[in-house]
Amino acid sequence: MAGSSGLGGGAGQGAALRASRAPLLFVALVLGAYCLRVLPGRCPPAARTLAPAPSPSEPPSSVRCPGAPDLPVASGPGRRRFPQALIVGVKKGGTRALLEFLRLHPDVRALGSEPHFFDRCYERGLAWYRSLMPRTLDGQITMEKTPSYFVTREAPRRIHAMSPDMKLIVVVRNPVTRAISDYAQTLSKTPGLPSFRALAFRHGLGPVDTAWSAVRIGLYAQHLDHWLQYFPLSHFLFVSGERLVSDPAGEVGRVQDFLGLKRVVTDKHFYFNATKGFPCLKKAQGSSRPRCLGKSKGRPHPRVPPAVVRRLQEFYRPFNRKFYQMTGQDFGWG
């Protein structure tokens, strides 16, 4: 009896010990889940896009969902609102330049970083997205730009669900020049990249490889066709990347009209930088000194054989013409 009593006492002590640990285990599990959910980490997997994932020759994306405290957003009066206008494309078209030019306007408040909400970070939720935005006063417009939205299949549906009245700005550029610029950017990060020709064509100068994102992004008509399933053409403004360089005040003036703003940003704000080959700001936002975009903008392009350029021009020609018909604008790319 004494032995059985001792065993019973041991079992009772073990049960008591397990019971005392249970709350600690529960707290640990809750804290672990909280850390995984809240602490900054990689964005959810990129949404399915019309432009396929980078090929093995391209470096994988390392973009993370931004954390609200790390972004240069304003504090003070006003409140954070969802954007009323988005620059949705295209990569290497001149979106950064346009955003910086628009930020000179006192009634435009724009997020400096690309949040990638509608393509990579959608699972964070709308409250998180709004928390990134700068504070605005009544009458001011909130904007952000993420060029990959234009080629992300889910983006138009998600943007429409948030705001069916959204104004959408697309900066487009000759797709051949855009592809070479895209390649130059990737080459600067991956020096061992195969040649532009090897990536743009299959089997030497065989069929154009539309699986390569640098080529596929330039199929503007295909991407726009998908967007028009959600937004009417009147919600879009198509900005010429070429004219943004040759006549920045004229193109920015069109954007200000589209946004319902007074034309405050004019030719007095720009000067042409012959070294970089594009316009710079005589007075940047929050500064009394002239300012050009960073050294990554206006980088020299690698030499591409004329035969390769001609082949790509021929390839894009029917897509360009369809794009002209869809938008009612002739961008002069041939």
Side-chain angles (χ1 to χ4, degrees):
M1 291 293 292
S4 62
S5 174
L7 289 172
Q13 292 174 359
L17 183 60
R18 287 191 297 272
S20 67
R21 288 177 177 173
L24 294 176
L25 179 60
F26 175 75
V27 170
L29 289 172
V30 170
L31 286 175
Y34 175 82
C35 290
L36 289 173
R37 179 69 176 171
V38 176
L39 291 179
R42 292 192 178 274
C43 294
R48 185 166 56 91
T49 64
L50 292 175
S55 64
S57 60
E58 299 176 80
S61 172
S62 60
V63 174
R64 297 171 181 264
C65 289
D70 298 326
L71 289 174
V73 295
S75 60
R79 60 191 180 92
R80 304 186 196 279
R81 297 174 170 91
F82 291 120
Q84 295 93 52
L86 297 173
I87 300 175
V88 297
V90 297
K91 179 184 178 186
K92 307 309 297 178
T95 59
R96 171 56 60 184
L98 178 60
L99 185 73
E100 293 303 315
F101 297 164
L102 288 174
R103 291 176 81 183
L104 291 176
H105 199 293
D107 289 334
V108 171
R109 301 305 310 276
L111 186 63
S113 302
E114 296 176 5
H116 286 276
F117 176 66
F118 295 105
D119 59 349
R120 298 174 182 167
C121 304
Y122 194 65
E123 292 182 11
R124 293 253 176 152
L126 287 170
W128 175 84
Y129 181 53
R130 184 169 56 186
S131 75
L132 303 180
M133 297 301 137
R135 296 179 183 273
T136 54
L137 304 173
D138 291 342
Q140 291 183 319
I141 291 177
T142 303
M143 294 184 65
E144 67 110 326
K145 76 107 177 170
T146 303
S148 53
Y149 290 163
F150 193 60
V151 297
T152 298
R153 192 164 187 83
E154 289 81 1
R157 173 179 56 81
R158 291 170 173 175
I159 293 170
H160 186 271
M162 183 190 77
S163 175
D165 297 322
M166 184 68 71
K167 293 184 176 182
L168 304 161
I169 300 170
V170 189
V171 187
V172 290
R173 181 184 184 187
N174 185 320
V176 178
T177 311
R178 197 222 65 82
I180 296 172
S181 180
D182 198 337
Y183 173 78
Q185 182 182 56
T186 307
L187 185 65
S188 69
K189 301 174 183 178
T190 314
L193 203 64
S195 70
F196 181 86
R197 170 177 173 170
L199 294 171
F201 300 96
R202 301 183 195 133
H203 316 300
L205 274 180
V208 174
D209 190 357
T210 56
W212 186 32
S213 63
V215 168
R216 190 162 180 80
I217 288 173
L219 302 176
Y220 304 141
Q222 289 189 0
H223 304 307
L224 178 59
D225 189 57
H226 180 65
W227 280 82
L228 291 177
Q229 297 178 30
Y230 296 89
F231 292 95
L233 191 63
S234 60
H235 283 223
F236 290 86
L237 179 70
F238 300 95
V239 175
S240 166
E242 287 83 8
R243 286 196 294 271
L244 197 59
V245 172
S246 64
D247 181 21
E251 284 300 281
V252 174
R254 292 179 60 237
V255 178
Q256 291 172 95
D257 293 345
F258 176 68
L259 296 175
L261 299 171
K262 182 180 178 181
R263 287 200 176 197
V264 172
V265 184
T266 62
D267 53 4
K268 69 180 181 181
H269 291 93
F270 302 99
Y271 74 96
F272 189 79
N273 185 304
T275 303
K276 280 186 168 287
F278 57 73
C280 298
L281 299 174
K282 289 182 179 178
K283 183 178 178 182
Q285 184 186 39
S287 172
S288 59
R289 300 174 58 189
R291 177 176 169 275
C292 287
L293 297 179
K295 63 181 181 180
S296 65
K297 307 299 179 182
R299 63 166 61 86
H301 289 179
R303 184 184 178 280
V304 176
V308 171
V309 173
R310 286 194 299 270
R311 279 290 312 280
L312 280 178
Q313 288 173 335
E314 294 168 2
F315 166 77
Y316 279 119
R317 187 167 291 116
F319 297 101
N320 292 343
R321 288 176 178 171
K322 183 179 179 183
F323 185 63
Y324 299 165
Q325 292 173 351
M326 296 172 74
T327 62
Q329 294 178 239
D330 186 338
F331 291 91
W333 303 324

